[in-house]
């Protein structure tokens, strides 16, 4: 999900953070049984609870521990997590430092997919700090690496980022070209929610090129798609764009509707900059028909304009405005390692206590996930044995009794088994398209979200998120078993994951090994 580069020219600190966190998703952590991985898992959980200060402290411990263990994968994951934590706290210079260290490890590993991910993060940070020339170098390098691997989702993300970069640089023909390529990639992937975002990006460039008719056509597709997907931030920006186009053709009643929709979104998100855009648009659209209301919007617009974020934070990045400045980075890393050694010695007792609890928690969660996966597998086998999904209940009961495991039959009544079988089928049918959110699944089950959640909890004792994850992992194991030559990235995509790293993290949490190790164990046996 993206904000548009035109909206970054003047922006509040809070909006910068929201925007960048949408641009740069958290990379999956390597969760396992080493001390560093356990600490990383704890830091990840604290981040999810929005306890950023504590998450930073534990992540720094995990980073030091992973270095002492020579666990480079965990070290890279910790660096990425620390970068995201500092973004959330508005400490962009620190975020750049950690991201560059993460990239250095990715480069050393020779993993082009991981390198492209870190480069995308760097580009996003520099974009938010209004240094598009720096962002351009990173995003183009990222596209080169992403082109070497089978990860079309990453390539689409990077092309979208490039579109934003060139829009800021006022090279809108190039911006339009990258946005159009990103749109075509998403269309081939069948990701309608992402297609809507790319069309909004295209509209951004088209408006700058004064190709208003084409821009309106792009927004006519983008706005309904953004509404359906629930991407409210991009929807608000697109509505501001459409409001501008409507005002230019003197359709001010339509302009007011779009600006008001955008204003409602940005007020709820406390996005002061984009609120100011909506307010100014409403002033222009209302000043002839309702001058009093227009002046109210104009007064608020002037207040916001005076309080918007200045350029000081961007200047903090100047010492990092050198492409891949690893000489300085290496010196900083050495100094950090010295300080961390002392910190680890002082906190060793607390560390052991945390590790013991974390180890127990991971193993407990893994056992529960494996139980859910076995249940999903039993339901899938039962569904395959049944020739149709709508039959007489007594006949359905006999078929399930022959196919499902005996333990499953004892624990779940026939009606509940039919519900779970249907759920497994619906989720599996939607994984490849990425449309497996709780709202979508509940709708296809002909239930409200609340009813679906209560029903699943009563049958399994698990939340929808946990059970859907079990369905994904059961499918992943089957794909790895049945397709020994299928790339891991393709397995991840078929299981609903855009990021191979995120897929690997969840898979290891469920099975205790990485997808590659799981496949190797099948070959050994």
């Amino acid at each position: 999900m993206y904000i548009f580069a035109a909206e970054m020219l003047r922006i509040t600190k809070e909006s910068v953070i929201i925007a960048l966190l949408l641009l740069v998703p958290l990379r999956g952590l390597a969760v396992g049984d080493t001390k560093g991985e356990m600490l990383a898992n704890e830091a990840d959980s604290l981040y999810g609870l929005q306890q950023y200060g504590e998450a930073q402290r534990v992540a720094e411990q995990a980073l030091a521990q992973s270095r002492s263990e020579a666990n480079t994968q965990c070290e890279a994951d910790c660096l990425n997590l620390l970068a995201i934590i500092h973004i959330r706290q508005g400490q962009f210079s620190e975020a750049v430092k950690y991201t560059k260290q993460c990239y250095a490890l990715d480069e050393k590993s020779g993993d082009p997919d991981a390198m492209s991910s870190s480069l995308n993060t760097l580009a996003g940070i520099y974009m938010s700090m209004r240094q598009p020339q720096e962002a351009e170098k990173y995003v183009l390098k990222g596209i080169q690496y992403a082109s070497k691997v089978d990860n079309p989702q990453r390539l689409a993300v990077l092309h979208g980022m490039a579109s934003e970069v060139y829009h800021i640089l006022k090279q809108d023909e190039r911006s339009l070209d990258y946005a159009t390529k990103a749109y075509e990639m998403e269309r081939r992937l069948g990701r309608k929610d992402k297609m809507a975002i790319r069309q909004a990006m295209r509209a951004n460039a088209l408006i700058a090129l004064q190709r208003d008719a084409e821009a309106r056509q792009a927004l006519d597709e983008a706005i309904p798609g953004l509404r359906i997907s629930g991407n409210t931030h991009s929807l608000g920006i697109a509505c501001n764009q459409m409001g501008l186009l409507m005002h230019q053709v003197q359709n001010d009643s339509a302009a007011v509707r779009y600006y008001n929709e955008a204003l409602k979104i940005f007020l709820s998100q406390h996005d002061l900059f984009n609120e100011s855009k909506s307010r100014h648009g409403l002033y222009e659209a209302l000043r002839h028909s309702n001058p009093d209301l227009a002046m109210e919007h104009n007064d608020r617009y002037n207040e916001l304009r005076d309080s918007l974020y200045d350029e000081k934070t961007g200047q903090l990045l100047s010492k990092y405005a050198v492409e891949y400045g690893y000489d300085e980075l290496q010196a900083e890393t050495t100094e950090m390692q010295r300080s961390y050694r002392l910190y680890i010695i002082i906190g060793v007792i607390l560390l052991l206590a945390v590790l013991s609890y974390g180890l127990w928690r991971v193993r407990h969660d893994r056992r529960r996930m494996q139980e859910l996966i076995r249940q999903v597998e039993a339901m899938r086998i039962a569904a395959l044995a049944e020739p149709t999904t709508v039959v007489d209940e007594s006949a359905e009961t006999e078929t399930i009794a022959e196919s499902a495991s005996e333990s499953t039959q004892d624990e779940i009544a026939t009606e509940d088994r039919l519900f779970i079988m249907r759920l497994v089928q619906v989720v599996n049918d939607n994984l490849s398209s990425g449309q497996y959110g709780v709202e979508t699944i509940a709708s296809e089950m002909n239930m409200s979200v609340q009813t679906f959640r209560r029903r699943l909890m009563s049958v399994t004792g698990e939340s929808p998120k946990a059970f859907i994850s079990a369905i994904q992992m059961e499918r992943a194991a089957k794909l790895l078993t049945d397709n020994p030559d299928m790339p891991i990235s393709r397995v991840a995509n078929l299981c609903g994951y855009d990021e191979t790293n995120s897929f690997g993290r969840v898979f290891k949490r469920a099975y205790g090994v990485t997808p590659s190790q799981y496949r190797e164990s099948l070959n050994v046996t």
Side-chain angles (χ1 to χ4, degrees):
M1 295 187 285
Y2 297 95
I3 68 166
F4 307 119
E7 312 299 276
M8 295 183 189
L9 293 175
R10 287 171 58 89
I11 192 164
T12 65
K13 182 176 181 180
E14 182 180 9
S15 296
V16 168
I17 296 170
I18 293 171
L20 184 54
L21 289 171
L22 291 173
L23 279 164
V24 184
L26 183 64
R27 188 159 93 173
L29 291 171
V31 180
D33 295 335
T34 70
K35 292 181 180 180
E37 289 171 349
M38 292 303 308
L39 280 170
N41 184 41
E42 182 186 2
D44 189 23
S45 299
L46 289 167
Y47 175 85
L49 295 172
Q50 299 183 4
Q51 297 179 20
Y52 302 125
E54 189 65 7
Q56 178 183 337
R57 184 186 67 80
V58 177
E60 288 171 347
Q61 289 183 337
L63 176 63
Q65 183 65 36
S66 65
R67 284 171 172 164
S68 68
E69 295 168 348
N71 186 341
T72 55
Q73 178 60 55
C74 186
E75 181 182 356
D77 292 337
C78 291
L79 289 167
N80 185 76
L81 177 57
L82 282 165
I84 302 301
I85 290 170
H86 282 91
I87 291 170
R88 174 63 75 175
Q89 295 175 322
Q91 299 165 353
F92 294 99
S93 60
E94 289 295 298
V96 170
K97 179 179 71 176
Y98 284 117
T99 304
K100 284 195 171 185
Q101 291 182 54
C102 182
Y103 176 80
L105 289 177
D106 293 337
E107 188 176 46
K108 186 176 180 180
S109 73
D111 183 349
D113 191 53
M115 284 188 281
S116 67
S117 176
S118 295
L119 290 166
N120 182 61
T121 303
L122 283 167
I125 296 172
Y126 280 112
M127 278 287 287
S128 291
M129 290 294 92
R130 290 166 295 167
Q131 294 190 26
Q133 292 85 358
E134 291 300 312
E136 179 186 17
K137 293 186 291 187
Y138 293 117
V139 74
L140 293 180
K141 193 71 171 178
I143 289 173
Q144 290 179 20
Y145 283 121
S147 299
K148 297 178 181 179
V149 294
D150 182 21
N151 193 339
Q153 289 86 354
R154 174 94 68 204
L155 205 55
V157 167
L158 284 158
H159 276 73
M161 177 73 79
S163 175
E164 301 226 20
V165 168
Y166 286 114
H167 181 70
I168 284 288
L169 292 172
K170 301 187 183 302
Q171 299 180 31
D172 285 291
E173 287 290 354
R174 296 188 72 178
S175 175
L176 178 61
D177 180 58
Y178 277 104
T180 301
K181 289 178 180 176
Y183 173 82
E184 289 301 320
M185 292 174 191
E186 303 291 10
R187 185 181 60 79
R188 289 193 293 271
L189 290 167
R191 303 198 305 179
K192 293 184 178 179
D193 54 335
K194 301 297 190 297
M195 289 167 61
I197 295 171
R198 309 308 177 199
Q199 282 288 56
M201 288 180 171
R202 294 185 69 252
N204 213 32
L206 287 164
I207 289 172
L209 293 168
Q210 299 184 344
R211 292 159 60 175
D212 293 346
E214 293 174 73
R216 180 175 177 179
Q217 185 177 4
L219 288 171
D220 281 338
E221 178 180 339
I223 289 174
L226 293 170
R227 287 194 184 115
I228 292 171
S229 68
N231 186 346
T232 54
H233 193 267
S234 293
L235 173 61
I237 293 171
C239 285
N240 270 346
Q241 292 174 318
M242 185 65 93
L244 174 62
L245 292 176
M246 293 295 98
H247 177 63
Q248 288 176 350
V249 297
Q250 299 181 348
N251 188 351
D252 283 334
S253 61
V256 168
R257 288 198 305 272
Y258 282 109
Y259 280 130
N260 275 326
E261 183 175 357
L263 179 61
K264 182 178 179 181
I265 291 170
F266 296 130
L267 285 172
S268 69
Q269 295 181 344
H270 307 289
D271 185 336
L272 300 184
F273 171 73
N274 284 304
E275 178 192 343
S276 75
K277 299 282 285 186
S278 302
R279 298 279 189 186
H280 187 260
L282 284 165
Y283 164 72
E284 293 291 340
L286 288 168
R287 62 178 181 167
H288 297 300
S289 61
N290 192 338
D292 291 337
L293 181 57
M295 287 307 300
E296 290 180 15
H297 286 298
N298 190 55
D299 290 342
R300 176 58 178 161
Y301 163 72
N302 287 325
E303 292 174 8
L304 292 169
R305 184 179 59 183
D306 292 338
S307 64
L308 287 174
Y309 181 66
D310 60 26
E311 298 183 4
K312 290 182 179 178
T313 302
Q315 295 169 357
L316 295 174
L317 296 177
S318 59
K319 70 174 183 177
Y320 295 105
V322 180
E323 187 173 16
Y324 317 135
Y326 291 124
D327 291 340
E328 178 183 359
L329 210 57
Q330 185 59 42
E332 291 177 359
T333 302
T334 301
E335 183 61 31
M336 288 168 61
Q337 287 174 331
R338 291 182 187 139
S339 62
Y340 285 143
R341 289 192 189 100
L342 178 60
Y343 189 66
I344 291 172
I345 293 172
I346 295 173
V348 66
I349 296 177
L350 179 61
L351 176 62
L352 290 174
V354 170
L355 288 172
S356 297
Y357 171 76
L359 180 61
W360 173 85
R361 181 62 183 269
V362 166
R363 289 176 176 171
H364 175 270
D365 291 347
R366 184 176 297 158
R367 285 195 296 270
R368 181 56 189 150
M369 177 58 71
Q370 289 174 351
E371 290 173 6
L372 285 175
I373 290 171
R374 285 193 290 270
Q375 187 180 30
V376 169
E377 183 179 20
M379 291 298 99
R380 179 179 57 79
I381 294 171
L384 289 174
E386 180 60 38
T388 180
T389 57
V390 181
V391 295
D392 178 71
E393 265 195 20
S394 62
E396 184 74 13
T397 302
E398 293 177 6
T399 303
I400 296 172
E402 295 173 359
S403 305
S405 67
E406 183 176 346
S407 61
T408 304
Q409 294 177 42
D410 293 338
E411 294 174 3
I412 306 176
T414 300
E415 183 178 348
D416 292 339
R417 289 202 304 275
L418 295 174
F419 168 73
I420 296 298
M421 288 171 63
R422 172 63 178 156
L423 173 58
V424 172
Q425 178 185 343
V426 168
V427 173
N428 273 310
D429 288 346
N430 283 271
L431 286 180
S432 298
S433 65
Q435 303 298 315
Y436 58 91
V438 175
E439 292 186 0
T440 301
I441 298 303
S443 176
E444 295 205 21
M445 297 286 288
N446 296 317
M447 295 179 175
S448 68
V449 172
Q450 294 80 2
T451 301
F452 171 62
R453 192 182 302 276
R454 286 196 300 268
R455 179 72 185 279
L456 185 61
M457 286 291 292
S458 69
V459 174
T460 68
E462 294 292 339
S463 66
K465 182 179 179 181
F467 202 83
I468 290 171
S469 181
I471 295 172
Q472 291 175 286
M473 291 302 99
E474 192 275 337
R475 183 176 190 178
K478 189 173 188 305
L479 287 170
L480 290 169
T481 302
D482 295 347
N483 304 276
D485 297 325
M486 182 179 289
I488 299 298
S489 59
R490 179 59 177 162
V491 174
N493 295 342
L494 291 174
C495 294
Y497 287 87
D498 293 345
E499 295 282 338
T500 305
N501 288 338
S502 298
F503 167 69
R505 171 180 61 84
V506 178
F507 189 92
K508 187 170 184 179
R509 181 177 291 171
Y511 290 97
V513 293
T514 66
S516 297
Q517 291 169 338
Y518 183 88
R519 178 174 279 168
E520 289 171 3
S521 69
L522 296 173
N523 294 333
V524 171
T525 56

